[in-house]
């Protein structure tokens, strides 16, 4: 397996392979950039078919975190980790503690948190071995409701852009994934009077959303065919691709999943099709804003964090305006915004200051 020549390698600073036979841990930690501060990004637990697939995923996800943290105005770089294992079968105290030891060995260059397949309760074990974990239950906790709230605010901004009104009442939203974010998003939308259609590969997750929230459901494979105002991908990445594009019957794509576009050209295609795309790492930034709020001078305060998360709607509107003005697709406008901030902040290095330690939110 090669790292530097991997299709997803993009000048990553550091890629660490972690193996512990006794606990069964096989993990990869990727640090894409620490230009703005220590790398911050969650840990994903997934039964990848191969190590190559896991490497590709962690490289893409960590790069996305560099852009997300920059776009959210946070002083963190981009990193991510993956544990190659099945979250329904392979969780154990020793596995998470072994992972925590590897995180600690990086000395604060990487802060971990939860992602797909990991629950904030799992982080309690990670915390026993490292200081560099965010989103613990006694601190900011599970970031998923915060992410869902950010996506909800983002969907409202998209509705306003397309229909001239941000009111979700009477709009149809198809949500792919009834997991931690998908469920909370469905709840917010249903409460606001939207018609919600949800899909998941696991029957129990769909049933929970249908029974608790009174939403509709379709089989996982049919979600792309739902006639809707908004398609909200809240499962895995690369779902906007050559096969799914011709099937979409929506005006807006706005969801929490990372790396929704299989390739940048799919973002160009959405533009041509007249579908408004809310760039994934901007609309799904609520979770990272929430965990990074643990570094606020007075400690974590939910109301402060949520006020900042509500700003995601405004960020999207700003980005849509740039896209219109420059005649570029929205995914490209998001990159411009993030790259600009990294450049501007890096230029501050021209002013010498004696070293200060630690992260600064
Ligand atoms: P989760 O594991 O709780 O939920 C994902 C759900 O998607 C699961 O229920 C899974 O069964 C389902 N799924 C997988 N493949 C599917 C398919 N083909 N069709 C339908 N459903 C499918 O994860 P989550 O925390 O809800 O995160 C969802 C997405 O949002 C991920 O891409 C994640 O990286 C991203 N995200 C999450 C957060 C957060 O705070 N949790 C923050 C930012 C981004």
């Amino acid at each position: 397996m090669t790292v530097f020549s991997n299709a997803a390698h993009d000048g990553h600073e550091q890629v660490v392979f972690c193996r512990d036979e006794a606990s069964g841990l096989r993990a990869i930690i990727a640090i894409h950039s620490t230009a703005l501060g220590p790398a911050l990004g969650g840990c994903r637990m997934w039964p990848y078919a191969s190590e190559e697939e896991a490497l590709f995923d962690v490289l893409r996800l960590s790069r996305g975190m560099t852009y997300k943290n920059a776009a959210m105005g946070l002083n963190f770089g981009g990193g991510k980790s993956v544990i190659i294992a099945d979250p329904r079968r392979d969780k154990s105290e020793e596995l998470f503690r072994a992972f925590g030891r590897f995180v600690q060995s990086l000395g604060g260059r990487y802060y971990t948190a939860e992602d797909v397949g990991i629950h904030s309760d799992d982080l309690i074990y990670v915390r026993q071995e490292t200081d560099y974990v965010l989103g613990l239950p006694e601190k900011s906790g599970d970031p998923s409701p915060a992410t869902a709230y950010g996506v909800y605010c983002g969907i409202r901004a998209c509705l306003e852009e397309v229909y001239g009104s941000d009111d979700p009442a009477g709009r149809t939203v198809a949500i792919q994934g009834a997991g931690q974010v998908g469920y909370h998003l469905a709840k917010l939308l249903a409460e606001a009077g939207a018609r919600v259609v949800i899909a998941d590969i696991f029957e129990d997750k769909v049933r929970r959303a249908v029974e608790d929230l009174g939403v509709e459901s379709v089989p996982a494979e049919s979600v792309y065919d739902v006639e809707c105002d908004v398609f909200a991908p809240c499962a895995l990445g690369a779902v906007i691709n050559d096969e799914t594009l011709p099937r979409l019957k929506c005006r807006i794509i706005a969801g929490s999943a990372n790396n929704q576009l299989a390739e940048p050209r799919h973002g160009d295609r959405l533009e041509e099709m007249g579908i408004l795309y809310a760039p994934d790492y901007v609309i799904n930034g609520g979770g990272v804003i929430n965990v990074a709020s643990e570094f606020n001078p007075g400690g974590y305060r939910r109301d402060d964090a949520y006020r900042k998360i509500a700003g995601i709607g405004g960020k999207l509107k700003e980005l849509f305006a740039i896209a219109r003005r420059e005649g570029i697709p929205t995914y490209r406008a998001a990159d411009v915004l993030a790259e600009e901030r990294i450049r501007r902040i890096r230029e501050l290095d021209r002013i010498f200051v004696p070293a200060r330690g630690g992260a600064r939110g």
Side-chain angles (χ1 to χ4, degrees):
M1 181 168 45
T2 53
V3 177
F4 298 133
S5 56
N6 186 290
H9 192 270
D10 173 55
H12 288 67
E13 284 178 24
Q14 192 175 11
V15 182
V16 185
F17 290 76
C18 316
R19 174 74 171 130
D20 178 54
E21 292 259 354
S23 63
L25 178 77
R26 280 191 303 153
I28 311 174
I29 302 171
I31 295 177
H32 176 253
S33 165
T34 56
L36 291 183
L40 164 60
C43 175
R44 176 171 294 194
M45 189 173 197
W46 193 254
Y48 292 101
S50 66
E51 288 169 23
E52 283 76 8
E53 198 185 291
L55 176 64
F56 183 77
D57 206 30
V58 76
L59 290 174
R60 267 176 46 104
L61 289 166
S62 55
R63 179 183 183 278
M65 287 309 300
T66 298
Y67 280 78
K68 185 188 309 197
N69 291 336
M72 292 301 114
L74 301 173
N75 292 315
F76 284 97
K80 200 91 180 184
S81 50
V82 295
I83 296 178
I84 306 171
D86 186 340
R88 293 200 161 217
R89 230 188 37 209
D90 300 329
K91 289 188 177 184
S92 69
E93 175 181 353
E94 55 277 21
L95 181 119
F96 287 121
R97 290 185 66 163
F99 173 69
R101 287 186 161 239
F102 285 106
V103 172
Q104 183 65 16
S105 75
L106 293 170
R109 277 177 52 73
Y110 168 64
Y111 279 82
T112 197
E114 66 151 81
D115 190 58
V116 176
I118 302 277
H119 192 266
S120 48
D121 288 342
D122 302 326
L123 298 179
I124 295 170
Y125 293 127
V126 179
R127 172 71 182 87
Q128 286 171 22
E129 305 293 340
T130 181
D131 302 328
Y132 307 111
V133 53
L134 302 176
L136 286 156
E138 76 273 16
K139 293 219 172 148
S140 65
D142 175 7
S144 310
T147 302
Y149 179 62
V151 174
Y152 172 74
C153 296
I155 287 177
R156 293 190 72 124
C158 292
L159 289 172
E160 181 160 2
E161 178 79 9
V162 170
Y163 298 112
S165 160
D166 72 349
D167 190 355
R171 301 282 173 206
T172 300
V173 183
I175 302 181
Q176 180 183 44
Q180 303 181 93
V181 179
Y183 178 88
H184 285 104
L185 177 63
K187 186 165 190 288
L188 290 168
L189 287 165
E191 283 167 359
R195 172 179 170 241
V196 176
V197 182
I198 206 159
D200 200 288
I201 49 173
F202 290 112
E203 190 46 47
D204 55 333
K205 302 215 176 183
V206 174
R207 202 173 326 114
R208 182 174 76 122
V210 170
E211 284 173 8
D212 292 2
L213 312 173
V215 299
E216 299 168 38
S217 70
V218 289
E221 215 0 78
S222 308
V223 74
Y224 303 105
D225 306 313
V226 175
E227 199 134 346
C228 57
D229 298 292
V230 184
F231 172 48
C234 296
L236 297 183
V239 292
I240 309 300
N241 55 46
D242 291 335
E243 270 121 64
T244 58
L245 267 173
R247 293 169 58 185
L248 297 175
K249 296 181 188 68
C250 59
R251 293 288 309 277
I252 295 165
I253 296 180
S256 74
N258 286 305
N259 297 323
Q260 293 171 28
L261 304 174
E263 290 174 41
R265 67 184 170 84
H266 297 114
D268 301 336
R269 186 74 195 107
L270 287 177
E271 178 83 3
E272 288 158 18
M273 290 165 72
I275 296 177
L276 180 67
Y277 173 61
D280 44 16
Y281 66 74
V282 177
I283 195 168
N284 73 11
V288 80
I289 291 176
N290 202 55
V291 296
S293 299
E294 290 183 20
F295 287 96
N296 286 351
Y300 175 73
R301 292 233 347 240
R302 187 179 184 276
D303 49 348
D304 285 345
Y306 272 60
R307 217 181 348 267
K308 202 164 174 200
I309 293 166
I312 286 176
K315 267 188 204 305
L316 282 172
K317 285 186 198 164
E318 187 188 337
L319 193 149
F320 296 150
I322 294 175
R324 253 197 320 271
R325 196 174 59 237
E326 308 282 328
I328 54 176
T330 54
Y331 81 88
R332 190 57 216 136
D335 287 357
V336 169
L337 214 72
E339 284 162 6
E340 265 291 296
R341 176 159 184 265
I342 293 172
R343 190 188 54 72
R344 279 188 279 111
I345 303 302
R346 282 311 304 268
E347 280 179 3
L348 290 173
D349 283 348
R350 66 184 176 265
I351 307 165
F352 172 77
V353 280
R356 294 172 68 189
R360 279 168 284 135

